[in-house]
C-alpha cells in the first residue's frame, strides 16, 4: 500500500485563489488514501466548504426563528368569552337543540324549553318519569316549532311548540308489547319541516 507523506512545514495553508494550482499539485494532504479518487480538486473543495457553511448557517437561523415562534405562541393568551346568561337545570341534560329564540333540552325525565328573549328562564316542559330523552331535533315551521325526540328505548316522539306551550303529537314506534317494538337508529327533519325521515330496526331484524 502506498504511503503518502506531506512535504514542507506543518502549517495550515491559506486557501486563496492564487494558491489553487499549487495546492492541487502537492500541498493538499490526503489523510485517507482510500479517498484518493473521491477528493475534489480546487476550486471545488472551497466551493463545497462554502456551501456547507451556508447550509449550516441557514439551518441555525431556521431553528432560532422556530424557537422564537414557540415562545411567542406561549406568551399569547387566547381570548376567553364568558357566558352572558346561564340556565339553571335540576338535572344533567342529555341533549339540546336550538330553534328561533328557544332552547330545547332533553333530560332524564322529559323535556324543558327555555326562552332566550328576555327572562332566560324556563317557559314550559313535558315531564315523564319513565322517559329519558337522549336525542332531540327542532325545526321552524312558520311561527311554530316542530320537535322530534328519541328516548333511551329508541322511541320517537313528535312535539308541537306553539305560543310557549309544548304539545305531544304522538309516539311513532311505541308498542305495548316490547318484543314487537322497533328501535329508531337515525332521524332527520327537512329544513322547513315538510317531512321527516326515520330509520327503524325491529327486534327480529
Amino acid at each position: 500500500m502506498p504511503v503518502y507523506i506531506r512535504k514542507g512545514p506543518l502549517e495550515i495553508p491559506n486557501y486563496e485563489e492564487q494558491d489553487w494550482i499549487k495546492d492541487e499539485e502537492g500541498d493538499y494532504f490526503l489523510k485517507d488514501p482510500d479517498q484518493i479518487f473521491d477528493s475534489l480538486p480546487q476550486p471545488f473543495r472551497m466551493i463545497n466548504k462554502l456551501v456547507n457553511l451556508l447550509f449550516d448557517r441557514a439551518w441555525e437561523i431556521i431553528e432560532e426563528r422556530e424557537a422564537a415562534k414557540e415562545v411567542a405562541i406561549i406568551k399569547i393568551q387566547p381570548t376567553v368569552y364568558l357566558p352572558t346568561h346561564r340556565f339553571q337545570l335540576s338535572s344533567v341534560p342529555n341533549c339540546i337543540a336550538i330553534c328561533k329564540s328557544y332552547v330545547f333540552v332533553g333530560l332524564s325525565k322529559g323535556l324543558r324549553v327555555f326562552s332566550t328573549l328576555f327572562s332566560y328562564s324556563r317557559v314550559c316542559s313535558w315531564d315523564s318519569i319513565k322517559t329519558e330523552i337522549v336525542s332531540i331535533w327542532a325545526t321552524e315551521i312558520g311561527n311554530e316549532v316542530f320537535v322530534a325526540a328519541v328516548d333511551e328505548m329508541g322511541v320517537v316522539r313528535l312535539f308541537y311548540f306553539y305560543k310557549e306551550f309544548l304539545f305531544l303529537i304522538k309516539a311513532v314506534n311505541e308498542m305495548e308489547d316490547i318484543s314487537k317494538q322497533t328501535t329508531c337508529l337515525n332521524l332527520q327533519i327537512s329544513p322547513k319541516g315538510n317531512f321527516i325521515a326515520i330509520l327503524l330496526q325491529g327486534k327480529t331484524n
Side-chain angles (χ1 to χ4, degrees):
M1 182 178 69
V3 178
Y4 297 88
I5 301 175
R6 179 181 175 85
K7 299 178 181 180
L10 297 176
E11 297 179 357
I12 299 176
N14 295 325
Y15 289 94
E16 298 180 358
E17 188 174 357
Q18 59 270 20
D19 297 332
W20 286 350
I21 299 177
K22 181 180 178 182
D23 183 55
E24 179 69 22
E25 292 177 352
D27 283 354
Y28 176 68
F29 179 69
L30 187 63
K31 295 182 179 180
D32 188 358
D34 294 333
Q35 296 180 355
I36 187 170
F37 299 106
D38 298 332
S39 62
L40 296 174
Q42 286 290 13
F44 300 107
R45 289 200 304 274
M46 180 61 67
I47 295 174
N48 185 49
K49 290 183 178 180
L50 293 175
V51 171
N52 291 335
L53 180 62
L54 181 62
F55 178 81
D56 293 339
R57 181 54 184 159
W59 188 256
E60 291 177 359
I61 294 174
I62 292 173
E63 290 181 342
E64 291 175 359
R65 290 182 179 179
E66 291 296 328
K69 286 182 181 179
E70 293 179 358
V71 173
I73 292 173
I74 295 174
K75 290 182 178 180
I76 296 175
Q77 296 295 331
T79 304
V80 178
Y81 296 94
L82 298 176
T84 56
H85 295 83
R86 295 182 180 181
F87 297 122
Q88 298 295 330
L89 300 175
S90 58
S91 60
V92 179
N94 296 326
C95 53
I96 62 172
I98 300 175
C99 187
K100 298 183 70 173
S101 301
Y102 298 94
V103 178
F104 301 85
V105 183
L107 303 171
S108 58
K109 294 182 180 180
L111 252 168
R112 301 287 185 274
V113 183
F114 295 86
S115 174
T116 60
L117 288 176
F118 305 106
S119 60
Y120 294 92
S121 60
R122 186 177 70 178
V123 295
C124 65
S125 63
W126 177 81
D127 297 320
S128 178
I129 299 176
K130 298 181 180 180
T131 303
E132 181 177 358
I133 304 298
V134 295
S135 299
I136 187 171
W137 294 261
T139 185
E140 182 179 354
I141 306 176
N143 295 325
E144 297 78 33
V145 179
F146 177 69
V147 181
V150 181
D151 65 10
E152 79 282 2
M153 298 298 294
V155 177
V156 180
R157 290 179 173 83
L158 306 180
F159 296 88
Y160 184 71
F161 180 74
Y162 177 67
K163 290 185 177 180
E164 297 188 350
F165 288 96
L166 189 64
F167 303 95
L168 174 63
I169 301 174
K170 66 176 300 184
V172 176
N173 56 330
E174 187 176 23
M175 301 287 291
E176 293 183 359
D177 188 355
I178 300 178
S179 62
K180 298 180 180 179
Q181 182 172 300
T182 56
T183 302
C184 175
L185 300 180
N186 198 357
L187 186 150
Q188 293 294 328
I189 304 176
S190 62
K192 295 183 180 180
N194 295 327
F195 61 90
I196 179 173
I198 303 174
L199 178 62
L200 300 174
Q201 182 181 25
K203 293 293 184 179
T204 59
N205 293 344

